[in-house]
Amino acid sequence: AQSVTQPDIHITVSEGASLELRCNYSYGATPYLFWYVQSPGQGLQLLLKYFSGDTLVQGIKGFEAEFKRSQSSFNLRKPSVHWSDAAEYFCAVGANSGYALNFGKGTSLLVTP
Amino acid sequence: SQTIHQWPATLVQPVGSPLSLECTVEGTSNPNLYWYRQAAGRGLQLLFYSVGIGQISSEVPQNLSASRPQDRQFILSSKKLLLSDSGFYLCALDRPNSPLHFGNGTRLTVT
């Protein structure tokens, strides 16, 4: 069965520092992988997606993620965090459709001055 | 571009009252439509999905139902709300080879 684990429930970083949010997945086939961001009281916005090809994926807002098959991971990174990046981040894995998509429980990012 | 409208944005309802949340989409046709619920600390739970008018699949048996009377309209309903129905309800759509796209959600508080 497919599943997604986001090991960190909360992460705090200083503004300007680098960021890495972890995501590990379990999936029987080649996965489709996604990262979404959710600001308080808002819906989810797609940051980036991986379907195939280059394992380093660039997304919006300066985010990138790297697919590592050997580690079953799809970690999200940003070189320099801005205060506006404070939000909840969700990793998702599965087929390219909502009914077959598994979401992690999310990582809440706090950015300090 | 595709847009999802959800209303109301927030809703407070007493236990035992009925519920109707509406989701309409623009800028696309024949989308797959979804209702997700987000409860604190529990991530996103898929409730219903629809691949076309009148076609509803339920992922989790519960106090809720869904209907799709038109191609671009998806409605979430309940005859009698429970306290456990409180949460953040998100409508979403996808198209072939296109990632899931979410609306801004409805915050439901059952008192």
Side-chain angles (χ1 to χ4, degrees):
Chain A
Q2 59 188 23
S3 65
V4 182
T5 302
Q6 293 182 246
D8 304 304
I9 298 175
H10 301 284
I11 282 188
T12 300
V13 299
S14 300
E15 189 168 17
S18 63
L19 170 70
E20 182 169 31
L21 302 183
R22 296 183 292 165
C23 173
N24 295 99
Y25 67 89
S26 173
Y27 193 66
T30 300
Y32 290 84
L33 295 158
F34 308 84
W35 274 100
Y36 284 85
V37 61
Q38 183 181 33
S39 297
Q42 300 294 311
L44 279 73
Q45 180 183 23
L46 181 70
L47 282 176
L48 48 80
K49 60 186 184 290
Y50 171 78
F51 290 170
S52 64
D54 192 347
T55 56
L56 184 62
V57 181
Q58 301 298 320
I60 62 171
K61 303 184 180 185
F63 286 92
E64 67 178 25
E66 187 171 12
F67 170 54
K68 292 186 177 179
R69 185 186 299 274
S70 62
Q71 298 178 20
S72 297
S73 69
F74 189 57
N75 295 347
L76 182 71
R77 300 194 295 250
K78 186 169 184 177
S80 178
V81 170
H82 188 262
W83 63 267
S84 60
D85 293 324
E88 189 92 12
Y89 291 81
F90 292 91
C91 180
V93 64
N96 184 20
S97 56
Y99 69 84
L101 207 57
N102 265 350
F103 284 86
K105 293 190 176 181
T107 297
S108 179
L109 174 65
L110 177 65
V111 180
T112 59
Chain B
S1 63
Q2 55 197 18
T3 305
I4 299 177
H5 299 282
Q6 284 190 248
W7 65 89
T10 59
L11 187 61
V12 180
Q13 293 281 104
V15 168
S17 64
L19 173 73
S20 180
L21 300 182
E22 188 160 344
C23 169
T24 59
V25 303
E26 293 179 355
T28 186
S29 59
N30 303 315
N32 298 322
L33 294 175
Y34 305 86
W35 279 111
Y36 281 85
R37 178 170 59 199
Q38 189 177 23
R42 296 182 61 184
L44 280 83
Q45 179 186 35
L46 178 62
L47 301 176
F48 301 95
Y49 69 92
S50 170
V51 298
I53 297 173
Q55 300 179 65
I56 308 295
S57 296
S58 174
E59 289 294 299
V60 182
Q62 54 202 321
N63 186 42
L64 303 169
S65 62
S67 62
R68 186 168 177 178
Q70 301 178 42
D71 180 51
R72 301 177 189 180
Q73 186 182 31
F74 202 26
I75 298 171
L76 183 70
S77 304
S78 174
K79 292 183 179 178
K80 289 186 178 181
L81 283 168
L82 306 173
L83 286 174
S84 58
D85 292 323
S86 293
F88 192 49
Y89 288 83
L90 290 157
C91 180
L93 71 84
D94 66 19
R95 298 276 287 112
N97 300 313
S98 179
L100 205 57
H101 177 71
F102 288 87
N104 281 333
T106 294
R107 171 73 60 192
L108 172 66
T109 303
V110 183
T111 61

